[in-house]
Amino acid sequence: RLLKMEEFFPESFRLDLKDERNAFFELCKEEQIWICKPSCSNQGRGIFLLKNPAAVNTLQAKLHSPEEYLLNKRVPYQAAQARIVQRYIQQPLLLEGKKFDVRSYLLVACTAPYVLFFAQGYVRLTCVNYDAASDDLTVHLTNQYMQKKNSLYSQLKDETVWRMEHFNSYVNEKFRKTSGLPKDWVFTVFTKRMQQIMLQCFLAAKHKLDRKLGYFDLIGCDFLIDENFKVWLLEMNANPALHTNCEVLRDIIPTVVYESL
């Protein structure tokens, strides 16, 4: 069954497309949180939150200003605006009070014939407890590059990454009864949903990949679970980070790379 985008992807708009840009600015008249990020970047660079109409108005003025071009002289004007805004999910499921997301992997191993593989990844947590009203980006973004900017990271870094087995045990213990989840929800319902979403995204891009002979790519897919246990795809990353700067990653990342090859 093909999914509708709103079933798994937060409402999003491309700011480099005039119609979508205008639709977003027309929509943002109320107090609601959006996350604005570059289309082609990584490590949390260039991401910021839009928390109120004033912030949205500031962004709108900036996009209409020639200064945006002057700040990015080396890239075309349109490229300077290559950003998306995505509705911020304000009721994420929390682990020990902290926001988290799940990095999983999709390997497109071959396009003639199509050969795809799925690999479990790991859970990424913030250093500090979640507060939707906080202006500290390390409260909202879970990737390691961003968490390193928190003063607590050096002493907590091994706690910011969980194995999927640990996550599964935690959900069984803390949420299974209260939320009416089946046993091992992480390795059954959640895993199947991730695979279903990844497959849908692959099918959407398939017509482009069939023109790339020898295409081989490991894609990092980031999923967020809200407090109702709904699974959201946040983004898919080409060239995902393969750093091994904490104990769990030293175990998981080399295995993912080895199995990919």
Side-chain angles (χ1 to χ4, degrees):
R1 183 178 74 89
L2 289 179
L3 302 171
K4 294 180 179 177
M5 279 188 71
E6 58 265 27
E7 291 182 63
F8 67 90
F9 193 61
E11 188 176 12
S12 302
F13 297 88
R14 284 179 55 177
L15 295 182
D16 58 323
L17 299 180
K18 184 178 179 182
D19 289 348
E20 291 202 22
R21 185 167 66 241
N22 291 342
F24 168 67
F25 289 127
E26 188 61 35
L27 179 68
C28 284
K29 306 294 186 187
E30 304 167 12
E31 294 281 334
Q32 44 193 323
I33 303 179
W34 296 80
I35 185 165
C36 184
K37 47 191 176 183
S39 302
C40 301
S41 186
N42 58 10
Q43 299 181 327
R45 282 189 288 243
I47 294 179
F48 55 88
L49 298 183
L50 299 166
K51 291 190 163 188
N52 50 55
V56 173
N57 290 339
T58 299
L59 175 64
Q60 187 173 15
K62 185 178 179 184
L63 291 179
H64 286 122
S65 166
E67 291 172 9
E68 176 80 0
Y69 171 72
L70 295 173
L71 289 170
N72 297 275
K73 286 185 231 177
R74 297 183 183 179
V75 292
Y77 184 51
Q78 282 296 91
Q81 297 182 21
R83 290 179 157 272
I84 69 161
V85 282
Q86 187 176 75
R87 188 180 290 280
Y88 185 85
I89 297 167
Q90 295 189 67
Q91 289 83 34
L93 185 68
L94 303 178
L95 302 181
E96 298 179 349
K98 296 172 181 176
K99 187 177 180 182
F100 74 96
D101 63 18
V102 174
R103 163 62 59 88
S104 294
Y105 296 98
L106 170 66
L107 176 68
V108 182
C110 185
T111 59
Y114 288 110
V115 182
L116 307 180
F117 292 96
F118 166 84
Q120 297 282 9
Y122 52 93
V123 178
R124 312 184 297 185
L125 299 91
T126 59
C127 292
V128 294
N129 284 4
Y130 179 65
D131 174 9
S134 175
D135 290 326
D136 181 358
L137 275 179
T138 67
V139 171
H140 302 280
L141 305 180
T142 61
N143 67 68
Q144 290 278 296
Y145 184 85
M146 188 58 65
Q147 290 305 306
K148 284 179 183 177
K149 298 182 178 182
N150 191 294
S151 59
L152 296 171
Y153 178 77
S154 57
Q155 64 190 80
L156 295 175
K157 71 175 183 177
D158 281 321
E159 296 174 29
T160 62
V161 181
W162 285 10
R163 299 175 197 276
M164 294 300 285
E165 291 80 5
H166 181 183
F167 179 39
N168 184 60
S169 298
Y170 186 93
V171 170
N172 279 343
E173 180 185 341
K174 302 286 186 181
F175 300 118
R176 187 184 167 199
K177 288 184 180 178
T178 56
S179 299
L181 302 177
K183 186 183 179 186
D184 296 332
W185 178 87
V186 168
F187 288 131
T188 55
V189 177
F190 176 52
T191 295
K192 285 179 181 176
R193 188 63 166 177
M194 287 193 292
Q195 292 172 340
Q196 185 183 26
I197 291 170
M198 286 181 184
L199 183 58
Q200 176 120 348
C201 293
F202 165 77
L203 292 173
K206 182 179 175 182
H207 67 288
K208 295 183 179 179
L209 302 184
D210 64 12
R211 296 198 295 271
K212 297 183 179 181
L213 186 63
Y215 182 83
F216 178 93
D217 203 2
L218 181 68
I219 300 168
C221 306
D222 297 338
F223 294 92
L224 185 141
I225 303 165
D226 68 21
E227 59 185 12
N228 297 316
F229 287 87
K230 181 171 181 175
V231 178
W232 297 94
L233 172 69
L234 296 181
E235 59 186 40
M236 301 181 82
N237 302 274
N239 192 25
L242 298 173
H243 305 299
T244 54
N245 55 324
C246 66
E247 183 183 351
V248 173
L249 295 180
R250 282 192 288 273
D251 180 37
I252 291 173
I253 297 298
T255 303
V256 168
V257 173
Y258 179 80
E259 290 185 355
S260 296
L261 296 175

